[in-house]
Amino acid sequence: AKRQCPRHFREEEEEIGESKFKKTIGGRRSVILESEGEEVEEIEDDHDLSASDDDIFSDEDGKEVSVKDILTNFGSPKQEQGDDGQPLPKKSTEGDNSYLSQTRFDECSISPLTLRGVKAAGYERMTQVQESTLPLILKGKDVLAKAKTGTGKTVAFLLPAIEVVSKLPPVERDQRRQPINVLVVCPTRELADQAAAEANKLLKYHPSIGVQVVMGGTRLALEQKRMQTNPCQILVATPGRLRDHIENTPGFATRLMGVKVLVLDEADRLLDMGFRKDIEKIVAAVPKQRQTLLFSATVPDEVRQICYIAMKRDLEFINTVGEGTEETHSQVKQMHLVAPLEKQFSILYNILTEHISENVDYKVIVFCTTAMATKLVADLLSELKLNVREIHSRKPQSYRTRVSKEFKESKGLILVSSDVSARGVDYPNVTLVIQLGVPADREQYIHRLGRTGRKGQEGTGILMLAPWEDFFLSTIKDLPITKAPLPTVDLDTRKKVERALGHVELKNKESAYQAWLGYYNSNKNIGRDKYQLVALANEFSRSMGLDNPPAVNKLVLKKMGLNNVPGLRAK
Ligand SMILES: Nc1ncnc2c1ncn2[C@@H]1O[C@H](COP(=O)(O)OP(=O)(O)OP(=O)(O)O)[C@@H](O)[C@H]1O
């Protein structure tokens, strides 16, 4: 039977404005990603770059500034020119190695079989976080670890966990309820898949140790069969689906009594109110006598106060970011653009075509605020003949898995994504991250930006906000982010984008409008004044080329507390 749980925790939640916010720790919101959507055929297009890179803009005081100027002064690393004007050799794709420590894996006290797996994975030296946490974890300590994005946190918790399992006494083969010894919880399906794949790499020479993954979007019965018929000392899971198994899979709760190590990856996200009930249920289902490891690139103070839900008092807090230094990477250029909604699609198009013309190996992620905004932007950019894929929680899992794998292995591609790709996903060589609209909170901004600049590589981050979203900048003012001049749009580009918008299906615009309402209605800064919210929603509607804002299902308006607000049309 389908797990019946409070509506705001179900992964397969019916649609209200795409994403829901629950009051969370310290008033920060958590976004719970939404349910499967109907299958939409994948969009495949070659891109012809017709927008010339000398598209001229003028900044607030009328100074002419081109997108090339913006990106050169603030954005993607230019092809360095020598004195003779010839391009200098590109920096190695492997960035600076400062994320690596001096300690080699073969100097550590790990088992020969594990060491073989590490070497086969191509890892020679430990990263800072791996060097700092391994000895403590092998000593049995609970560890709360904070380390920048893309610095090897997954291996940092998997490697010692495998060592723990490899030292356990063998269990009788026929034992029906083979114990699960390590439980790794990840907030999204792509992350769970990725962690399981990393574990399999490290287990290459441990034939008797197996890892299984359970997550929403796959059949429960298939997972139950796999866990019964294959070695499953290590289980990687998303919270909702794990809770399903605890409640509905016979014998599963017994197997969890064998857990020696519990790992919460992206811990601050998992301890947010959005997952809190699931996490409490999971913690209650594993032995109190265990080791608990929490890892993330961001550990807000309130998380340190509540991590005791799951951890021993004498936990070790490892912070390789270092107090007082930025939580983002210095080799990633960050900038923000404040532009009215009516210009944003055109500015986005110019930034992308400029970046593509400057970077033959371009690999871009465009983050949008909701699943339906993601779909709209992906459709628009495809109409503009860019090479685009989309990934969000309204896509079937098979599609998400396929697109995630393709993007991981490709260059010359733009991935338009909701927050399913905000944290943890390891896409190598991403050259540019664009964030459209105010992020859910500061942590989400940092994690999204962290999709580029991994393993010491260079990258660029652009945050595009509407004037009424610039309050967000105060939450990231400590980060090395610069303001780019406001570009305006030349007529040709505006017309080209308007024509493309005209080909985007009306129902996608209607869904994006409803999702927009859901997202900003829940934003404590913007959702407070309902009349202003409606006026801004109409601005968003016009930016999609709709003169009249779409009508919204009256039940949905009611659930948003927006019924009877003048200016909204109910149907
Ligand atoms: N010791 C190592 N040497 C070289 N590469 C490594 C090492 N450890 C991990 N990696 C690689 O570094 C990349 C980033 O690792 P990982 O995804 O675990 O980073 P992360 O710190 O978890 O990032 P995020 O905060 O975004 O989740 C991966 O491609 C991984 O294979």
Side-chain angles (χ1 to χ4, degrees):
K2 187 89 204 96
R3 165 170 68 88
Q4 287 312 313
C5 70
R7 49 178 284 95
H8 43 290
F9 295 126
R10 271 201 304 266
E11 279 181 322
E12 289 71 40
E13 184 114 40
E14 70 273 5
E15 156 116 272
I16 300 178
E18 295 307 309
S19 54
K20 260 160 289 315
F21 292 92
K22 295 307 302 167
K23 269 274 170 252
T24 67
I25 22 182
R28 287 189 310 110
R29 300 179 312 273
S30 79
V31 177
I32 307 165
L33 300 171
E34 281 321 303
S35 62
E36 313 308 332
E38 63 290 345
E39 178 75 27
V40 172
E41 79 285 348
E42 198 167 349
I43 297 154
E44 299 266 349
D45 272 300
D46 292 331
H47 53 271
D48 69 336
L49 301 182
S50 47
S52 69
D53 59 12
D54 54 8
D55 271 334
I56 295 301
F57 301 97
S58 60
D59 64 14
E60 286 106 334
D61 43 35
K63 191 166 72 62
E64 303 277 280
V65 56
S66 77
V67 170
K68 182 195 281 285
D69 293 341
I70 291 177
L71 287 171
T72 310
N73 300 329
F74 297 85
S76 32
K78 294 278 301 164
Q79 179 75 22
E80 305 298 322
Q81 305 274 331
D83 321 353
D84 56 358
Q86 292 306 312
L88 290 175
K90 266 236 179 245
K91 288 193 177 118
S92 77
T93 50
E94 276 300 301
D96 74 81
N97 283 339
S98 58
Y99 74 103
L100 289 173
S101 72
Q102 291 308 314
T103 310
R104 299 174 52 80
F105 281 103
D106 51 22
E107 295 164 339
C108 312
S109 53
I110 54 177
S111 65
L113 293 179
T114 304
L115 184 55
R116 281 181 71 189
V118 165
K119 284 192 174 301
Y123 305 149
E124 295 296 325
R125 285 189 290 154
M126 304 177 89
T127 65
Q128 305 289 354
V129 66
Q130 292 162 6
E131 181 192 50
S132 306
T133 54
L134 182 65
L136 293 169
I137 300 173
L138 291 179
K139 267 196 299 199
K141 298 290 282 182
D142 278 12
V143 172
L144 169 59
K146 174 179 177 181
K148 288 187 180 181
T149 52
T151 57
K153 291 188 287 297
T154 311
V155 167
F157 60 73
L158 284 176
L159 194 151
I162 289 167
E163 287 297 279
V164 167
V165 177
S166 66
K167 294 183 172 64
L168 291 174
V171 291
E172 316 74 81
R173 289 294 309 151
D174 63 346
Q175 187 181 338
R176 269 187 53 72
R177 305 268 187 262
Q178 298 269 342
I180 291 169
N181 304 125
V182 175
L183 180 57
V184 178
V185 186
C186 301
T188 66
R189 302 168 183 177
E190 281 73 18
L191 262 190
D193 252 346
Q194 182 176 292
E198 189 77 61
N200 273 313
K201 277 186 340 188
L202 298 175
L203 287 169
K204 185 174 181 181
Y205 298 99
H206 281 288
S208 59
I209 303 179
V211 55
Q212 295 299 325
V213 60
V214 295
M215 59 182 179
T218 45
R219 280 184 303 110
L220 204 68
L222 178 60
E223 295 175 341
Q224 291 166 339
K225 184 168 177 299
R226 281 183 191 147
M227 288 193 287
Q228 273 307 345
T229 52
N230 302 301
C232 178
Q233 295 88 340
I234 298 173
L235 180 65
V236 183
T238 51
R241 178 48 64 87
L242 179 55
R243 189 169 164 175
D244 273 358
H245 282 291
I246 292 172
E247 293 169 350
N248 303 309
T249 297
F252 184 76
T254 309
R255 298 188 72 177
L256 286 186
M257 296 320 292
V259 168
K260 306 293 182 201
V261 182
L262 170 67
V263 181
L264 299 187
D265 188 19
E266 307 299 340
D268 55 322
R269 182 86 168 69
L270 289 175
L271 290 172
D272 226 332
M273 279 309 270
F275 288 108
R276 181 74 66 82
K277 281 276 173 285
D278 282 347
I279 296 301
E280 286 170 350
K281 180 92 184 174
I282 292 161
V283 169
V286 296
K288 284 194 177 7
Q289 284 315 308
R290 68 172 188 269
Q291 206 172 346
T292 308
L293 311 176
L294 271 59
F295 278 74
S296 181
T298 52
V299 181
D301 288 347
E302 57 268 36
V303 168
R304 291 182 63 181
Q305 291 149 23
I306 61 165
C307 64
Y308 294 112
I309 288 180
M311 303 182 87
K312 298 185 196 97
R313 291 274 161 201
D314 66 340
L315 66 93
E316 297 279 351
F317 177 50
I318 298 293
N319 178 359
T320 64
V321 173
E323 291 308 328
T325 58
E326 291 132 9
E327 293 178 283
T328 52
H329 292 288
S330 55
Q331 80 276 8
V332 174
K333 289 194 178 88
Q334 301 176 53
M335 68 183 194
H336 64 82
L337 267 171
V338 178
L341 286 182
E342 85 229 359
K343 294 185 178 172
Q344 289 198 3
F345 289 137
S346 300
I347 294 171
L348 172 66
Y349 176 58
N350 278 296
I351 289 174
L352 288 170
T353 47
E354 174 64 24
H355 183 75
I356 290 167
S357 62
E358 295 287 311
N359 299 273
V360 64
D361 287 338
Y362 72 90
K363 186 166 180 170
V364 182
I365 303 180
V366 179
F367 283 106
C368 299
T369 51
T370 67
M372 286 294 93
T374 302
K375 179 170 173 44
L376 176 86
V377 170
D379 286 357
L380 172 62
L381 296 181
S382 290
E383 285 295 335
L384 290 163
K385 303 302 175 203
L386 295 181
N387 193 18
V388 179
R389 302 293 180 274
E390 67 184 270
I391 190 165
H392 48 80
S393 59
R394 298 290 307 278
K395 283 289 190 185
Q397 190 52 43
S398 54
Y399 179 97
R400 282 171 55 171
T401 303
R402 192 168 71 243
V403 165
S404 183
K405 182 173 183 299
E406 179 189 12
F407 191 66
K408 206 172 273 240
E409 294 162 358
S410 311
K411 289 179 178 174
L413 203 51
I414 297 168
L415 179 67
V416 187
S417 178
S418 67
D419 273 344
V420 286
S421 313
R423 283 173 174 252
V425 280
D426 183 52
Y427 292 133
N429 310 313
V430 169
T431 53
L432 172 62
V433 167
I434 298 174
Q435 301 188 49
L436 273 189
V438 66
D441 51 32
R442 167 195 167 86
E443 285 72 30
Q444 216 63 349
Y445 169 81
I446 291 170
H447 282 275
R448 285 164 152 194
L449 183 74
R451 296 317 98 205
T452 187
R454 300 176 76 75
K455 294 179 72 172
Q457 291 184 314
E458 291 184 338
T460 300
I462 298 177
L463 172 64
M464 179 129 64
L465 298 174
W468 35 271
E469 292 176 305
D470 67 357
F471 64 86
F472 179 78
L473 296 173
S474 63
T475 67
I476 55 174
K477 62 182 181 301
D478 60 309
L479 299 178
I481 186 165
T482 46
K483 179 178 171 59
L486 169 74
T488 53
V489 184
D490 82 313
L491 204 52
D492 288 354
T493 302
R494 185 195 293 272
K495 289 213 167 311
K496 185 178 169 70
V497 170
E498 279 165 8
R499 274 197 307 277
L501 267 173
H503 294 117
V504 174
E505 282 185 59
L506 177 60
K507 74 176 172 63
N508 295 350
K509 295 177 180 176
E510 291 170 338
S511 305
Y513 173 83
Q514 177 175 307
W516 190 99
L517 271 178
Y519 184 75
Y520 286 99
N521 182 42
S522 308
N523 180 296
K524 64 182 188 316
N525 288 282
I526 298 166
R528 190 180 308 120
D529 176 343
K530 303 304 176 195
Y531 298 95
Q532 194 218 15
L533 176 77
V534 171
L536 296 175
N538 293 347
E539 194 184 310
F540 174 65
S541 171
R542 283 192 298 277
S543 78
M544 293 189 286
L546 299 179
D547 295 333
N548 296 316
V552 179
N553 177 299
K554 59 176 173 300
L555 254 186
V556 172
L557 286 180
K558 193 163 177 355
K559 283 179 185 166
M560 290 186 196
L562 294 176
N563 44 323
N564 309 327
V565 175
L568 290 178
R569 294 196 302 128
K571 61 183 179 187

